[in-house]
Amino acid sequence: MKNFLVFACFFLPFVVLAQNNNAPSSYDPHDIKITGYLQTQFQVAQSPGINSWSGGDFSEHSASRFMLRRGRLKVDRVDKFSSVVFQLDGTQDGLRIMDAFIQFHNPEDKSLLFTAGLFNRPFGYSIVYSSGYRDFPERARVFQTLMPRERDLGAMISYKPKKILPFIVAELAVVNGSGLNAKDYDSNKDIIGNFNFRFDSLANKKMQLGFGASIYKGTVRSNTTTVFKPTDNGFSSATDAANEDYNFRRDYYGANLQVGYKNSFGATSFKTEYIQGKQPGVAASASISGLAASTSFSAQPTGNLYLRNFNGYFFWLTQQILDTKLTAIVGYDVYDPNTDVDESEIGVAGSNTTAGDIKFSTLGYGFTYALNGRLKLTVYNEHVKNDGTQLPNYQSDIKDNVFTTRLQYRW
């Protein structure tokens, strides 16, 4: 990771920023404007009742389903000095708030923005990039785990000097750390820093190049006197009265890269993002699946904390087919919630390891077809793989592949 960050810093002046979703539809002054998109899809799982990051877990006896994946309705208004954004998400599970924030800006150039409310965590590339424009059905497993539903409550300062250095964007946010839940379970606040550059017109306006680096500094409160700390082959328990009410570190470090090029056989894009750090979690149990054991918590975690070192990354490649509306897509992502153990050591007696420590990788491939300027079809197949462990239900690869076909309408 150190070499990766050195590479990132060396090439920092030559990078591009992803589209940021923490903004109104336009900064030009306007009265109420309504935008949004609807995603409806059909999915087939390899086995009934699987745990999945492809739209959520399947029901116990079901291996196929129709569902509304996202139904976003965004309302915004912009005047000379400020703007307000309010976004709802409606699916078969009900209606919920996705964004609700107010921004203040300099009426002359809008280079300095102050945002307060509920907004996307300004970390990396994929978290802030709108699901309505992303070619791939879902974000990588590692980001869904660490930052579920992407949003948090807090305040943020953004610097975008469009007149002086139009290729720079810097963001600094202070958030609860508990996501959309306003009832934060400790008094500490988390800090997020994001720094990006962008160049959209390289190589005779055929090339786009982007790069950025992010940091997340936070904590998770312990509710018990016992915590489990990582060792070379598992965890060792540590019981101390001082552990209760102690805030253990939750730190992430990330870097991202995007390259796009318009060529004679269609537009090509390559995107990648890497993240590593420390994530307090819990042990997998009958009530908490292995996939959820290292999820960031929206409420006070019950039980003993497991302090894990993790890493994860994704590669996304898209290729437009000649000058058509058809685009081929290939993605690969990895999430290792515990980099201190090998899969063969998980489940060994005395190691204190559980299904929450298993590494997963996902290879996906498919295509998108733009039926018109608003309607898009996506067909995508995911092969999810894990190595065998010594745990009873995880001695070989779980049968949890997922096929998705989706229609999206955007307005």
Side-chain angles (χ1 to χ4, degrees), residues 115-337:
T115 305
L118 176 65
F119 49 83
N120 274 28
R121 299 174 177 97
F123 188 98
Y125 173 83
S126 64
I127 287 293
V128 298
Y129 197 79
S130 171
S131 299
Y133 292 90
R134 191 179 58 246
D135 290 311
F136 293 82
E138 305 297 339
R139 293 175 175 86
R141 176 188 297 250
V142 59
F143 290 102
Q144 291 193 60
T145 304
L146 301 176
M147 301 181 188
R149 293 185 60 189
E150 300 87 50
R151 275 77 174 170
D152 211 329
L153 284 155
M156 174 174 62
I157 295 176
S158 305
Y159 183 56
K160 305 176 182 180
K162 296 181 180 180
K163 294 182 179 180
I164 304 174
L165 299 170
F167 46 84
I168 290 179
V169 174
E171 297 166 305
L172 181 66
V174 179
V175 298
N176 281 343
S178 54
L180 279 72
N181 186 5
K183 297 179 180 179
D184 196 5
Y185 53 85
D186 62 38
S187 296
N188 287 8
K189 298 295 172 277
D190 296 354
I191 297 174
I192 310 172
N194 196 30
F195 193 61
N196 294 275
F197 286 68
R198 69 179 182 188
F199 290 92
D200 295 329
S201 301
L202 300 177
N204 294 322
K205 298 184 178 181
K206 292 184 177 181
M207 185 176 181
Q208 295 177 322
L209 178 63
F211 197 95
S214 304
I215 185 170
Y216 187 110
K217 302 293 286 185
T219 61
V220 174
R221 175 185 174 273
S222 172
N223 202 38
T224 65
T225 59
T226 300
V227 298
F228 286 82
K229 299 182 178 181
T231 64
D232 290 338
N233 58 358
F235 296 93
S236 62
S237 62
T239 302
D240 189 329
N243 287 334
E244 189 170 5
D245 289 330
Y246 187 80
N247 287 277
F248 288 92
R249 297 305 311 170
R250 172 193 178 192
D251 296 336
Y252 312 151
Y253 305 91
N256 61 82
L257 171 70
Q258 307 90 46
V259 180
Y261 189 74
K262 295 179 181 179
N263 46 64
S264 59
F265 49 88
T268 304
S269 75
F270 172 76
K271 302 173 183 179
T272 182
E273 191 162 359
Y274 178 89
I275 182 172
Q276 73 168 37
K278 299 180 182 295
Q279 175 74 348
V282 296
S285 64
S287 59
I288 300 177
S289 71
L291 302 182
S294 60
T295 300
S296 295
F297 302 101
S298 60
Q300 173 63 55
T302 58
N304 301 321
L305 286 186
Y306 279 62
L307 310 181
R308 297 183 174 98
N309 298 307
F310 75 89
N311 66 24
Y313 54 88
F314 70 79
F315 301 105
W316 287 345
L317 178 66
T318 68
Q319 176 61 57
Q320 179 189 14
I321 307 303
L322 299 175
D323 195 25
T324 70
K325 298 178 180 180
L326 182 67
T327 300
I329 58 177
V330 178
Y332 181 74
D333 71 77
V334 172
Y335 175 45
D336 187 352

